[in-house]
Every structure is written in structure tokens, then in C-alpha cells.
Amino acid sequence: MSMQCPKCGYEPTMAEMQSNPGQCASCGIVYEQYDGQAHAAERRARRRPWLLSAVGLFAVVALIVGGFKFYAHRQAIEQIDMQVKLATAYVEQMTAVSSGAASMTFGELFSKADRFIAEIDSALVKVSIVEPRLAEAEAARAYMKAGQEVIRNISGSARSMMEFGNAKDREERANEDAMSSNSYRRERASETKLKALDDQIKALDSLKAKQEALRASAKVMLTAQGSLGALSASSLLSQDLQARLLSEK
């Protein structure tokens, strides 16, 4: 039986086989060494598909995990966005009332303010339990709490105006009583007028303080809004609303 080189296929002559039986006369390989290398290469080739499969599986898992994290992040942003939008809408409604764009009684305004503040409290709880924890959640809470303060100060400003109006009415009645033919009413008129004037001053001072506090709360909202770029613009204070809040009088 003739012998062939396992590498190059050369068939050595009888003389070549006798002179150097363990080495190919053509390519020079040592048959035993080559067989060992060939077996090692074969074993590596058999392992390679498993290695490639493992790498591929890891890539697929990483892709799935990354997709899940992105989806969870997007869902959390949407939940925060919804609650922030609610707070902004309430602030806008109260601002419309204070500017005279919407008409209602003082009692209706106070009731609406209390309801809005309570509903923002519920929204704050919803934001606090959003998972995963995001930096936007903390900024949203600061924004919404400042929105509550804006509403409180709009309500407080309206209450001060109401108190000023009541004191003004008492002053006018005191002026009428001062012209009365009834001596008792004339005597009481002076005291009533002084009290009414004092209450007007207090109401104006309170109004000024509430308006300053309102503008300060609006600035806190704007600062927090700067960290809410991931939310939709329609959920935040518009430029027009910002201007109205900062110039609220």
C-alpha cells in the first residue's frame, strides 16, 4: 500500500521511505507531529460553534435587557409627565381666575384651590412610587410642590383682596353713619372708620406678601422645570404662563 503525506498528498518512493520514514520528502512535515496538530485543530473547530453560540446568546440577552430598561424608563417618564401636566393645568386655571380671565365667587375660588392642592398631593404620591427611580421624579416633586404654593398664594391673595373689600365697605358705612342724625351712630362711626382703615392696611400688606411669595414659588417651579427636559413641553409652564406668574399683581 502506498503512503501519502497527510498535508500535501505526496507519495514518497521506497527509497525515500527507507531513508526518512517519519518525514515527508516533499513538504518536510513530521508525520507524528502533524497528526497531533491536526487533531488539536479539529478539537478547536468543534469547540468554536459552541463559543460562537455563547457569544450570540449573550448578545441577545444584553439586547433584551437593554430594551426592557429603555421601555421601563419610557414608562416611568410618561407616568411622571402625566402628574406634572395635571399640576400645571391647575396652576394655569388658578392664574386665569386671579387675572380675571375666569369669573367666580371668592367661595368658589377658595374651594377650587383646596381641591387642586389635595389632588396634587395625590399626584405627588404617584410620582414618589414610580419605578425605576429617576432624577426627573425628584425634580417633578419640587415642581409640583412649588405649584401647590403658587395656588395657595393665589388663594391667599384673593382672600386679602376680599378682606380689603370688606374693610372698604365698613369704611363707607362709617362715613354714612357719621352724617346720621342718630348721635350714637355718629359716635360709633369714627371708631368703626379707624378700624376699617387699619384692616385695609393689614389686607394690603398681606396681599403684598402673598404676591411676593407667589412669584418666589413660580421661580422654584421654573428652576425645577429646567431639570424636566425629558417631559413633553405641553406638560410644563408655557412662556406666557411664566410671564403672568412672575408679574402677578
Side-chain angles (χ1 to χ4, degrees), residues 118-171:
E119 291 189 11
I120 293 176
D121 274 334
S122 297
L124 282 165
V125 173
K126 293 177 182 177
V127 170
S128 69
I129 60 176
V130 166
E131 292 289 349
R133 301 283 179 170
L134 303 178
E136 287 84 355
E138 193 59 36
R141 284 173 57 80
Y143 178 94
M144 295 162 70
K145 287 180 179 179
Q148 286 181 309
E149 290 306 309
V150 167
I151 293 172
R152 286 191 181 97
N153 286 303
I154 288 175
S155 177
S157 295
R159 190 173 296 279
S160 295
M161 288 188 285
M162 181 186 72
E163 291 171 352
F164 177 84
N166 290 339
K168 188 68 177 177
D169 288 343
R170 294 202 308 274
E171 179 194 2

Side-chain angles (χ1 to χ4, degrees), residues 165-180:
N166 290 339
K168 188 68 177 177
D169 288 343
R170 294 202 308 274
E171 179 194 2
E172 291 175 356
R173 289 196 297 272
N175 287 334
E176 292 174 0
D177 289 345
M179 305 296 293
S180 174

Side-chain angles (χ1 to χ4, degrees), residues 10 20 40 78 86 95 104 119 145 147 153 156 193 219 225-226 234:
Y10 176 72
N20 196 355
E78 288 177 0
L86 180 73
T95 304
M104 64 177 64
E119 291 189 11
K145 287 180 179 179
N153 286 303
K193 182 176 181 178
K219 289 178 181 178
Q225 180 166 314
S234 61

Side-chain angles (χ1 to χ4, degrees), residues 162-232:
M162 181 186 72
E163 291 171 352
F164 177 84
N166 290 339
K168 188 68 177 177
D169 288 343
R170 294 202 308 274
E171 179 194 2
E172 291 175 356
R173 289 196 297 272
N175 287 334
E176 292 174 0
D177 289 345
M179 305 296 293
S180 174
S181 58
N182 185 305
S183 60
Y184 176 75
R185 291 179 62 183
R186 289 198 304 273
E187 290 174 2
R188 292 284 301 168
S190 178
E191 181 181 343
T192 301
K193 182 176 181 178
L194 288 174
K195 181 65 168 61
L197 290 172
D198 184 57
D199 287 344
Q200 288 177 52
I201 293 171
K202 289 179 180 178
L204 289 174
D205 288 341
S206 175
L207 177 61
K208 181 180 179 182
K210 294 296 183 184
Q211 289 175 341
E212 289 177 351
L214 191 160
R215 286 189 288 273
S217 297
K219 289 178 181 178
V220 173
M221 286 189 78
L222 290 177
T223 299
Q225 180 166 314
S227 299
L228 295 173
L231 275 57
S232 58

Side-chain angles (χ1 to χ4, degrees), residues 6-188:
K7 180 179 180 183
C8 67
Y10 176 72
E11 294 184 7
T13 65
M14 289 296 294
E16 290 171 336
M17 291 179 64
Q18 290 176 358
S19 64
N20 196 355
Q23 186 172 13
C24 177
S26 176
C27 67
I29 68 161
V30 176
Y31 296 136
E32 290 183 359
Q33 292 180 358
Y34 182 79
D35 285 344
Q37 292 171 356
H39 289 316
E42 186 179 350
R43 287 195 299 273
R44 288 196 296 271
R46 285 199 297 268
R47 287 199 302 267
R48 190 171 294 115
W50 290 97
L51 178 61
L52 292 175
S53 297
V55 171
L57 179 61
F58 178 79
V60 170
V61 171
L63 185 62
I64 292 172
V65 171
F68 176 77
K69 286 183 177 179
F70 175 80
Y71 175 77
H73 182 273
R74 189 65 257 170
Q75 287 291 101
I77 288 293
E78 288 177 0
Q79 292 178 51
I80 293 171
D81 187 275
M82 188 185 305
Q83 305 310 322
V84 166
K85 189 171 188 175
L86 180 73
T88 301
Y90 289 159
V91 168
E92 187 169 12
Q93 288 186 47
M94 292 299 295
T95 304
V97 171
S98 69
S99 64
S103 177
M104 64 177 64
T105 65
F106 281 116
E108 290 172 335
L109 185 151
F110 301 145
S111 176
K112 188 179 287 288
D114 290 342
R115 179 167 63 84
F116 287 172
I117 290 169
E119 291 189 11
I120 293 176
D121 274 334
S122 297
L124 282 165
V125 173
K126 293 177 182 177
V127 170
S128 69
I129 60 176
V130 166
E131 292 289 349
R133 301 283 179 170
L134 303 178
E136 287 84 355
E138 193 59 36
R141 284 173 57 80
Y143 178 94
M144 295 162 70
K145 287 180 179 179
Q148 286 181 309
E149 290 306 309
V150 167
I151 293 172
R152 286 191 181 97
N153 286 303
I154 288 175
S155 177
S157 295
R159 190 173 296 279
S160 295
M161 288 188 285
M162 181 186 72
E163 291 171 352
F164 177 84
N166 290 339
K168 188 68 177 177
D169 288 343
R170 294 202 308 274
E171 179 194 2
E172 291 175 356
R173 289 196 297 272
N175 287 334
E176 292 174 0
D177 289 345
M179 305 296 293
S180 174
S181 58
N182 185 305
S183 60
Y184 176 75
R185 291 179 62 183
R186 289 198 304 273
E187 290 174 2
R188 292 284 301 168

